[in-house]
Amino acid sequence: MKDGKIQVHYLTRVEGHGNIQVEISGGELRSFRWEIPEAPRFFEAMVRGQSYADVAHITSRICGICSIGHTLCALQAVENALGVRPSEQTLLLRKLILHGETVQSHILHAGYLAAPDFLGAPSVVPLVESHREVVLTIVRLHRLANEWCDLIGGRTTHPINAVVNGWTSLPTEEALAGLRARIEAGLADAWAIVEVFRALSIPDFQRDTEYLALQHPDEYAFYEGDIASTDGGTTPVPDYRKKVIEFIVPYSTAKRARSDRRPSYAVGALARFNNNYDRLSPQAKKAAEALGLRPVCTNPFMNTVAQVVEVVHALEDSLRLIDLLLARGLHPEDRSVEVRAGHGVGAVEVPRGVLFHEYTLDERGLVTEANLVIPTGQNHQNIEDDMGALIPQVIDRPQEEIRLLLEMLVRAYDPCISCSTHLLEVNFS
Amino acid sequence: MEDGRRPVLILGLGNPFYGDDGFGPAVVEALSRLTLPAGVEVLDGGTAGLGLLPAIARRERLLVVDAAEMGRPPGTLMHFRWPEVGLGGALSLLTPHQAGLAEVLALAERLGWAPREVHIFALQPASLGWQKGLSRLAREKVPEAVAAILAEVSQVPAEPDER
């Protein structure tokens, strides 16, 4: 492509600009940018003045896909502010539902959105005819994950059972045992998806960057840990602002982030994999090997492959969590907390990467300050830097091919572009 | 998913923190406090988009409550059937976050799992934006939507038909 502009719009509701914009003239890259509108900033304002008890419920509405992660992160931050330490049962159930959301979200992304790219289809719809068994397997896993989140959280999204210092309702041991059996069956489905991705050809593109993820000594961190970097070193979560430096650019309302060392960094499945490979479950390690994924991998297109590995991990590790819960038996617990003024940070690995919630509470337990750092905000600058490196490598290809590659690149990050609202459009003829 | 037709689902869509976009969840909340006919389920689907596919698949009937851009005066409540009335949307998505009702119905249809009957109760919003709670116009329409939905589900056949 010698001259031209590439624009990809993601929503008809957003008018006047594309989310991916590239300008090429005389065979040279003139400009490129990636932008999105963002909801979390509105939520920061919205939770001010609200009770500590309502923060998780409100922030779960930031996203219909990562609502469980937002809920848990808000609860963690509030509990840290109040000096509350939830029981082991509470933590095991939180880790279990978080795995459910990871499977739910990764399957949605890898299955419905990324797979069509790699199978050369414009969307999942034609795959229903050409790869019906694959689509059925994807839907089965998706359904399992939805019912799993419903069982623990009381809803498939926007969980209502998870509250400060515990759960308002517990699953029965019979129901947990039933879930365990279904997750075991789900592992076979996950391996079928591994086989599908094994056969796909992923674009070959490398760019050295920094990968950040939570790290825990005993497990592949999702719910708790310190902030680890592939450049080395760890940062305790309460000090996250030392590692994660937020900034804004004039052409986008979304906050971005750089690290203390680099102008951009990446979070998400690949970042977790790169930092925590050693702690993957045995089957997940086998899946990674089958898929040719090795740490440290610097090909952003492999993020989707890392998601598939994490689906295997989340399923297998959930068997362990359920066994622990069943061995201990489930018991109602005292959820009372002492309200006091305080400040707390929560950090949870949600499907798209590490999420931070930070709240300051007054002596009545009302929020006076809030800061939310979402994974997609952290990935913005990294996506743009990837574009800057990728476009010159493919600049001689036809415009359509460049556009598709850029779309695939953005899709690989599985960005959260504020699904906080969807106004239905109706056409009466 | 290969089992037979599933019970009726009343599905509220939208975000209660985005003004009148919260109409669907508000109606569903009001309905969940009532005694509904046997075989009728209620779900606040929030903004889960494609994530709703397993919930709607193979339903005998699906009743959706949502705020919608219909080009009508604010506060207008409409009841129509899909696919007789078309919904805007596309299936070429950059992220799953873009998907809404149109996408999830299109995918269900292609899989052969579209509900046999889809009713949509849509409100033309008066006010959208980052705020909690409905506008007065929307709030006043909640009982009307509840009554219309109850009237519709009371026509549920006692036994779901064959298959």
Side-chain angles (χ1 to χ4, degrees):
Chain A
M1 172 176 159
K2 218 155 166 51
D3 299 285
K5 287 182 182 172
I6 295 174
Q7 295 209 348
V8 179
H9 301 257
Y10 69 81
L11 268 185
T12 50
R13 272 193 299 118
V14 179
E15 289 161 5
H17 58 263
N19 297 93
I20 300 174
Q21 296 198 57
V22 175
E23 195 180 347
I24 292 170
S25 71
E28 282 192 34
L29 177 60
R30 295 291 169 201
S31 69
F32 60 94
R33 71 171 52 160
W34 148 250
E35 60 180 310
I36 61 157
E38 193 191 72
R41 295 179 82 179
F42 296 98
F43 279 85
E44 288 170 358
M46 203 175 296
V47 294
R48 276 185 209 119
Q50 301 290 327
S51 162
Y52 76 93
D54 296 331
V55 170
H57 175 65
I58 295 170
T59 54
S60 97
R61 295 284 177 170
I62 291 174
C63 179
I65 298 174
C66 6
S67 63
I68 290 169
H70 275 288
T71 299
L72 299 184
C73 197
L75 293 176
Q76 218 183 67
V78 164
E79 286 161 355
N80 287 337
L82 295 174
V84 170
R85 295 191 65 81
S87 70
E88 187 189 18
Q89 171 177 291
T90 293
L91 295 186
L92 286 171
L93 284 167
R94 285 184 185 172
K95 287 176 183 179
L96 182 58
I97 195 173
L98 191 56
H99 277 337
E101 181 171 74
T102 300
V103 173
Q104 199 178 42
S105 175
H106 282 358
I107 282 297
L108 200 62
H109 176 254
Y112 296 139
L113 268 92
D117 273 342
F118 298 128
L119 294 168
S123 84
V124 71
V125 168
L127 292 188
V128 173
E129 271 83 43
S130 62
H131 298 75
R132 188 170 176 87
E133 275 314 307
V134 176
V135 176
L136 289 177
T137 307
I138 289 165
V139 178
R140 250 193 329 268
L141 277 167
H142 185 180
R143 188 185 185 191
L144 162 64
N146 277 13
E147 289 172 8
W148 171 350
C149 295
D150 189 18
L151 173 68
I152 315 290
R155 278 187 190 168
T156 58
T157 54
H158 312 299
I160 45 171
N161 292 350
V163 294
V164 175
N165 202 21
W167 296 84
T168 55
S169 132
L170 298 170
T172 63
E173 290 172 17
E174 295 70 37
L176 267 188
L179 176 64
R180 193 191 189 285
R182 296 195 53 204
I183 291 175
E184 273 202 282
L187 262 171
D189 278 339
W191 272 101
I193 301 298
V194 170
E195 287 306 313
V196 171
F197 272 79
R198 191 178 184 170
L200 304 180
S201 95
I202 311 285
D204 181 26
F205 165 72
Q206 314 282 334
R207 188 180 71 83
D208 179 53
T209 189
E210 184 178 4
Y211 292 91
L212 294 192
L214 293 182
Q215 191 168 68
H216 189 278
D218 305 328
E219 58 191 23
Y220 187 92
F222 276 101
Y223 181 75
E224 57 189 338
D226 289 332
I227 306 158
S229 159
T230 46
D231 283 355
T234 58
T235 310
V237 165
D239 296 336
Y240 80 102
R241 286 179 192 245
K242 289 184 188 159
K243 186 73 203 170
V244 171
I245 314 225
E246 292 187 277
F247 67 97
I248 52 167
V249 291
Y251 51 82
S252 173
T253 58
K255 290 191 294 186
R256 299 187 172 203
R258 62 178 175 82
S259 83
D260 57 342
R261 299 183 194 181
R262 300 217 199 191
S264 62
Y265 66 88
V267 299
L270 191 58
R272 287 189 288 263
F273 177 88
N274 281 337
N275 276 291
N276 299 317
Y277 168 81
D278 291 345
R279 295 168 189 85
L280 277 174
S281 71
Q283 289 201 41
K285 274 190 181 153
K286 280 192 192 134
E289 198 185 326
L291 291 161
L293 183 63
R294 279 173 294 274
V296 169
C297 169
T298 58
N299 179 352
F301 291 97
M302 291 296 271
N303 189 53
T304 311
V305 173
Q307 289 182 332
V308 173
V309 170
E310 285 193 340
V311 167
V312 175
H313 174 86
L315 291 166
E316 193 177 12
D317 194 53
S318 295
L319 299 179
R320 178 184 70 88
L321 295 172
I322 293 174
D323 288 344
L324 283 171
L325 283 161
L326 290 176
R328 283 158 175 74
L330 288 150
H331 310 285
E333 295 176 316
D334 177 18
R335 291 187 277 107
S336 61
V337 296
E338 201 175 314
V339 177
R340 64 173 207 199
H343 168 263
V345 180
V348 168
E349 286 285 347
V350 296
R352 286 149 196 84
V354 61
L355 167 72
F356 299 97
H357 280 213
E358 178 182 9
Y359 302 110
T360 306
L361 305 178
D362 67 13
E363 66 287 351
R364 293 165 298 170
L366 303 183
V367 176
T368 55
E369 274 307 318
N371 194 44
L372 310 176
V373 186
I374 63 162
T376 296
Q378 298 174 74
N379 277 332
H380 278 322
Q381 195 59 45
N382 206 69
I383 294 175
E384 213 170 82
D385 290 352
D386 277 352
M387 284 181 167
L390 176 63
I391 296 165
Q393 291 181 22
V394 298
I395 205 157
D396 297 330
R397 300 193 195 172
Q399 179 163 342
E400 257 321 280
E401 211 177 309
I402 302 176
R403 188 187 57 78
L404 178 64
L405 260 177
L406 292 176
E407 278 188 34
M408 284 174 69
L409 175 71
V410 169
R411 258 198 285 274
Y413 281 88
D414 191 8
C416 186
I417 51 165
S418 177
C419 51
S420 303
T421 174
H422 276 291
L423 189 62
L424 184 64
E425 281 178 41
V426 181
N427 318 309
F428 294 102
S429 48
Chain B
M1 202 71 65
E2 305 306 331
D3 43 4
R5 289 273 153 184
R6 300 159 69 207
V8 177
L9 177 69
I10 302 170
L11 176 66
L13 295 180
N15 192 335
F17 296 96
Y18 201 74
D20 288 349
D21 194 43
F23 186 71
V27 170
V28 156
E29 196 197 319
L31 280 164
S32 64
R33 279 186 255 117
L34 306 174
T35 309
L36 297 171
V40 175
E41 296 174 3
V42 175
L43 178 69
D44 173 357
T47 52
L50 282 183
L52 294 166
L53 180 67
I56 71 157
R58 289 184 176 269
R59 292 285 176 177
E60 186 61 38
R61 306 168 92 202
L62 172 69
L63 288 78
V64 178
V65 204
D66 200 356
E69 178 46 62
M70 301 180 285
R72 304 287 154 115
T76 307
L77 184 66
M78 307 275 292
H79 172 194
F80 51 87
R81 294 273 296 266
W82 176 88
E84 285 83 339
V85 169
L87 306 175
L91 254 166
S92 178
L93 307 173
L94 267 185
T95 96
H97 297 266
Q98 285 165 258
L101 182 64
E103 285 76 15
V104 76
L105 283 174
L107 185 55
E109 187 176 39
R110 189 58 72 102
L111 284 160
W113 297 340
R116 195 163 285 171
E117 231 182 274
V118 178
H119 293 260
I120 296 174
F121 298 83
L123 176 89
Q124 179 77 41
S127 158
L128 288 174
W130 292 109
Q131 70 203 35
K132 189 182 176 185
L134 303 178
S135 67
R136 187 182 54 79
L137 270 177
R139 215 165 42 238
E140 286 172 2
K141 288 290 175 180
V142 171
E144 193 179 322
V146 167
I149 289 167
L150 283 178
E152 193 58 51
V153 293
S154 64
Q155 296 170 21
V156 169
E159 294 287 321
D161 64 32
E162 79 301 345
R163 251 188 95 90

